[in-house]
Amino acid sequence: MSTPDRVAAVPRPPLTWLYVPGDRPEVVAKALGCGADVVIVDLEDAVAPDRKEYARAAIAELLADPVTAVPGAVPVHVRVHGEGDVRALTGLPGLSGFRLPKITHAVSVHHVAAVAPGVPLYPLLESALAVEHAYSIASADPAVRGIALGEADLRADLGVREDHGLDWARSRLVVAARAAALPPPAQSVFPDVRDLDGLWASCVRGRGLGLLGRAAIHPRQLEVIERAFRPTDQEIEAAEEIVAASAVEAGALALPDGRFVDAAVVASARRTLAIAGRT
């Protein structure tokens, strides 16, 4: 009898990443209870220059709060404005990661990793040069846990008018992340918080490109994003059938309907079940 496939269960990846302005700590505190998988406190674009010092101090106070650091609480990432933010926030118990804007070279990642030892890093690629260096950035340091596009700046840099004009860059990021053994990138924000139909259509397109999950700028976007990136009932049923079959017989096998299944298909099925929260 063949040895069963004993691949470990895949943890459920985050699907929703909610940006909140760092100079409004009361909004950050409220965001922690709105259902997002990750809350991203923005100290960069969302904060006016004359408010940045206040924002840094306010978020440092929030992240030093033991309640924020409770195991199982919503992870809090901070999109930093510069090295001052990195130094001020590193080591605080409520910090789960840094989002690094406008990264163009791996050397910038090395520098932050040295300043913030042990903190997970998420570089944001926002220019043509950054996209060209996608793999070197993604693989720059073990502290890098994910990469993503900053599409507003990238669109301006490339002079792209139509949304589909960024599809190649999105696919490039998906490939770079996979080559560096990172999770699939989350999709960039959809700027019109009122157009939920447009958000849905954009998420479906992004999912088709291999992106997983999406950043949001308003809580009303979260349910649409979650629904768009969660597997359908049919996808879950098919994945459960594949995983069940792999537990009986290891290696390549044929399902009763004639479909051929190998290790790569089984791994994909396990990821599907993880996204659905079934493992």
Side-chain angles (χ1 to χ4, degrees):
M1 183 174 177
S2 300
T3 303
D5 182 359
R6 299 297 186 187
V7 178
V10 181
R12 183 187 185 277
L15 296 181
T16 52
W17 314 68
L18 179 62
Y19 275 100
V20 287
D23 62 343
R24 300 182 63 188
E26 72 286 357
V27 176
V28 176
K30 185 177 180 180
L32 293 173
C34 73
D37 292 327
V38 180
V39 168
I40 304 174
V41 178
D42 191 2
L43 297 181
E44 195 209 15
D45 290 345
V47 178
D50 63 350
R51 296 272 291 173
K52 290 192 183 294
E53 287 192 15
Y54 164 75
R56 178 195 296 170
I59 297 311
E61 182 177 355
L62 176 75
L63 296 179
D65 186 339
V67 174
T68 309
V70 171
V74 179
V76 177
H77 294 184
V78 177
R79 181 163 76 167
V80 296
H81 177 61
E83 187 174 323
D85 292 341
V86 174
R87 293 188 180 278
L89 302 178
T90 295
L92 295 180
L95 178 70
S96 296
F98 283 133
R99 310 281 288 190
L100 309 179
K102 298 177 175 61
I103 295 296
T104 56
H105 295 83
V107 66
S108 300
V109 179
H110 293 312
H111 179 72
V112 177
V115 174
V119 180
L121 305 179
Y122 297 82
L124 299 176
L125 286 64
E126 306 184 55
S127 67
L129 182 59
V131 173
E132 285 299 300
H133 293 162
Y135 175 71
S136 65
I137 293 170
S139 58
D141 190 274
V144 175
R145 304 296 173 79
I147 56 175
L149 289 180
E151 291 192 356
D153 283 4
L154 180 60
R155 191 186 301 273
D157 190 38
L158 297 177
V160 169
R161 294 178 180 271
E162 301 296 331
D163 184 71
H164 65 260
L166 293 181
D167 282 356
W168 182 87
R170 294 163 178 152
S171 295
R172 177 72 177 270
L173 221 66
V174 169
V175 173
R178 180 59 181 162
L182 297 177
Q187 198 167 359
S188 187
V189 298
F190 188 82
D192 189 342
V193 300
R194 297 165 299 179
D195 185 6
L196 298 184
D197 290 338
L199 172 62
W200 167 266
S202 178
C203 288
V204 170
R205 184 182 187 91
R207 185 183 179 195
L209 293 171
L211 300 167
L212 181 61
R214 187 164 200 164
I217 54 175
H218 194 283
R220 70 166 58 102
Q221 297 178 313
L222 298 177
E223 188 275 333
V224 175
I225 295 170
E226 176 89 15
R227 183 162 44 90
F229 283 96
R230 281 181 63 87
T232 65
D233 291 343
Q234 293 81 1
E235 290 170 334
I236 293 171
E237 183 179 352
E240 289 176 334
E241 182 181 8
I242 291 169
V243 171
S246 72
V248 175
E249 183 176 352
L253 58 113
L255 298 180
D257 62 5
R259 284 178 295 156
F260 179 77
V261 174
D262 61 9
V265 176
V266 174
S268 179
R270 290 185 183 279
R271 285 194 296 270
T272 295
L273 295 181
I275 296 168
R278 297 295 183 91
T279 61

